[in-house]
Amino acid sequence: MLDRAIFRNSKHSFLIGIGCEDEFCMNSDLNWGALDSFIRKHRDKTLFTIINYELGLDILNVPRKTNDLPLLRIWLPESTYLQQENQLTLLEGKESVIHLEAAKQLFEANEIAPENLQWKAKINRNTYIERVKKLKEHIQLGDVYEINFCQRFEVNEVKLESLQPVFHSLWKNNPTPFAALVETKDWMLASASPERFIRKKGKQLISQPIKGTAPRGKTEQEDLELIRELETNPKERSENVMIVDLVRNDLSQLATKGSVSVDELCAVYSFPTVHQLISTVSCDLKENTTFSDILKASFPMGSMTGAPKKAAVELAEQYEGFSREFYSGSFGVLYPNGDFDLNVLIRTIVYNTQLKQLSCGVGGAITILSDPEAEYEECKAKVGKILALFGTCQW
């Protein structure tokens, strides 16, 4: 099958990549020079990239489980389109009837998304709560200050030819700033991500970590009350501020002297299913900073690890009991002018075509102020409505 990719690159448009003319895959050998060489080779083209969370473990020198998926894949589509106001425009590559039809199909909801899936948690509610209590003991001992602890839901023996109907359903019910769809012969993902990992625009680098969550209210008044509570909640704000400090430290490795700035701190952003606290951290890049330099300094993103980063990642490996793979990773686009924009792969459904398995991860920040049962309910607020679009979930 043709590779297909969609990335929401602005409020009113999507970039679409069809086929693969050239690619670079990083599996176990972290050949950063080859990665930068591939990008230089195609410096005047639009490239798509997927980054596996497990790459971050290798960057941090943390042992990881085996992983059949690429740690990083970056590819040049055969045809790249812009979809805007229901119009498709060929930006780069070959003019092909087959590619044009493939691009059109991505926005035609001709198939019905699965509706009777039975999502099953890798760990049950009681186990989740017990593990959060254990993590709080680590925090009490000073092993870590904050950890992003995740769990995973799965459905096995699911035969799907495409995730396009899933993406359409996600987009219809939860249109988010960094929505994405990728389909290859070995794996697929559909994402309703609200979070930006990192963006390069000219000489500026911008990161926008999300930490702090509240559900949407049933009425406008209840919604406003939940926003006010989120804005002033000490626990939610401390989660965010700790990660902002971590991101500032990451960016300082790449920044010109004195240029790291917190442009927005704990601002409330509202999405169809939740309210979130988002901060914006930026810096001016040193000369000759490469894409691989930026990844090595900032990945995995602090919002999906905790602080300090390596200690948090090690504890997550110990307590989560699954490989996050693309969940908690990133997908995005590198532009011909050298800029790029990468999301955080949360609120994301992944399909392994070999295993015939659908999976969806969800997590939250654990701090000394965390209430284990409240953390579990937060997970439900984040993905409960998403999973319910396609069936039932064993919470």
Side-chain angles (χ1 to χ4, degrees):
M1 66 176 288
L2 284 171
D3 285 2
R4 309 179 191 203
I6 297 176
F7 182 70
R8 192 183 186 195
N9 70 317
S10 77
K11 187 175 182 180
H12 302 292
S13 66
F14 291 86
L15 279 173
I16 301 169
I18 303 294
C20 176
E21 181 178 316
D22 197 8
E23 70 174 336
F24 172 80
C25 283
M26 190 180 284
N27 293 310
S28 56
D29 180 19
L30 303 190
N31 193 337
W32 299 108
L35 170 61
D36 289 329
S37 294
F38 183 87
I39 293 171
R40 285 195 299 271
K41 176 183 174 183
H42 300 293
R43 61 164 56 96
D44 59 342
K45 302 293 185 182
T46 300
L47 302 173
F48 288 77
T49 188
I50 183 86
I51 307 169
N52 194 317
Y53 170 82
E54 311 298 318
L55 174 66
L57 274 63
D58 283 13
I59 291 172
L60 295 171
N61 198 27
V62 173
R64 60 178 172 83
K65 304 171 184 69
T66 57
N67 180 15
D68 294 331
L69 298 170
L71 294 178
L72 179 147
R73 183 191 184 218
I74 185 167
W75 70 100
L76 172 67
E78 293 177 279
S79 303
T80 301
Y81 297 87
L82 178 71
Q83 196 272 355
Q84 190 171 29
E85 297 179 353
N86 297 319
Q87 295 293 319
L88 271 177
T89 304
L90 179 67
L91 296 181
E92 299 168 15
K94 63 174 70 171
E95 291 192 38
S96 161
V97 173
I98 293 175
H99 289 181
L100 180 60
E101 287 304 311
K104 286 179 179 179
Q105 288 172 10
L106 291 173
F107 289 92
E108 296 174 357
N110 294 328
E111 298 179 44
I112 298 173
E115 296 178 337
N116 299 309
L117 300 177
Q118 295 182 332
W119 297 94
K120 185 175 181 180
K122 291 281 286 182
I123 57 174
N124 61 32
R125 181 189 184 101
N126 289 338
T127 302
Y128 174 91
I129 289 170
E130 285 304 312
R131 291 183 184 179
V132 171
K133 290 178 180 177
K134 289 286 187 183
L135 290 170
K136 289 189 67 177
E137 291 178 11
H138 284 282
I139 295 170
Q140 191 80 44
L141 292 169
D143 298 334
V144 69
Y145 305 112
E146 176 179 335
I147 177 172
N148 197 76
F149 177 57
C150 301
Q151 59 175 317
R152 175 157 136 162
F153 297 85
E154 296 176 352
V155 186
N156 294 304
E157 299 301 322
V158 182
K159 294 182 180 180
L160 297 175
E161 297 298 322
S162 170
L163 273 195
Q164 291 172 42
V166 171
F167 175 74
H168 284 296
S169 186
L170 286 176
W171 177 249
K172 178 182 176 182
N173 290 279
N174 195 20
T176 50
F178 303 101
L181 169 71
V182 190
E183 295 188 323
T184 75
K185 65 180 179 63
D186 296 319
W187 55 269
M188 306 177 191
L189 65 83
S191 179
S193 174
E195 184 173 1
R196 169 179 279 136
F197 162 37
I198 205 158
R199 177 188 183 190
K200 179 181 177 291
K201 188 174 183 180
K203 294 183 178 180
Q204 188 181 53
L205 206 61
I206 301 165
S207 184
Q208 293 185 294
I210 290 179
K211 270 288 160 273
T213 304
R216 293 301 302 258
K218 295 178 181 178
T219 65
E220 184 177 349
Q221 182 59 36
E222 184 182 359
D223 218 33
L224 291 172
E225 290 173 1
L226 288 165
I227 288 173
R228 283 193 290 268
E229 163 62 19
L230 181 60
E231 282 178 316
T232 58
N233 187 301
K235 183 259 181 186
E236 303 292 339
R237 292 184 69 87
S238 68
E239 282 183 19
N240 194 291
V241 170
M242 277 191 271
I243 299 307
V244 166
D245 283 343
L246 187 152
V247 172
R248 289 173 62 220
N249 183 66
D250 286 351
L251 296 194
S252 69
Q253 301 174 60
L254 308 162
T256 58
K257 187 175 181 180
S259 69
V260 177
S261 172
V262 179
D263 306 309
E264 189 174 41
L265 184 64
C266 296
V268 176
Y269 285 69
S270 297
F271 301 98
T273 58
V274 290
H275 303 293
Q276 307 259 212
L277 290 182
I278 302 180
S279 294
T280 301
V281 187
S282 67
C283 74
D284 295 330
L285 284 170
K286 296 174 184 175
E287 291 293 330
N288 302 316
T289 302
T290 65
F291 185 72
S292 67
D293 291 334
I294 293 167
L295 282 187
K296 285 184 284 185
S298 61
F299 191 80
M301 62 289 292
S303 63
M304 298 309 297
T305 62
K309 188 179 282 189
K310 184 173 181 178
V313 165
E314 288 172 337
L315 284 172
E317 283 295 289
Q318 180 180 341
Y319 283 94
E320 288 178 352
F322 72 97
S323 295
R324 295 190 192 180
E325 299 176 332
F326 289 143
Y327 168 66
S328 293
S330 181
F331 174 70
V333 171
L334 286 73
Y335 298 102
N337 63 358
D339 292 345
F340 60 80
D341 206 357
L342 305 177
N343 74 6
V344 179
L345 285 172
I346 55 176
R347 321 291 197 270
T348 296
I349 293 173
V350 178
Y351 182 60
N352 186 314
T353 59
Q354 304 301 314
L355 299 178
K356 301 292 187 290
Q357 181 189 75
L358 282 170
S359 63
C360 183
V362 63
I366 309 304
T367 70
I368 197 62
L369 298 175
S370 291
D371 174 80
E373 293 196 8
E375 294 295 339
Y376 192 82
E377 291 303 314
E378 182 178 306
C379 289
K380 290 179 69 174
K382 287 174 176 175
V383 299
K385 290 182 180 178
I386 289 174
L387 300 182
L389 293 173
F390 310 107
T392 58
C393 180
Q394 179 188 334
W395 289 98

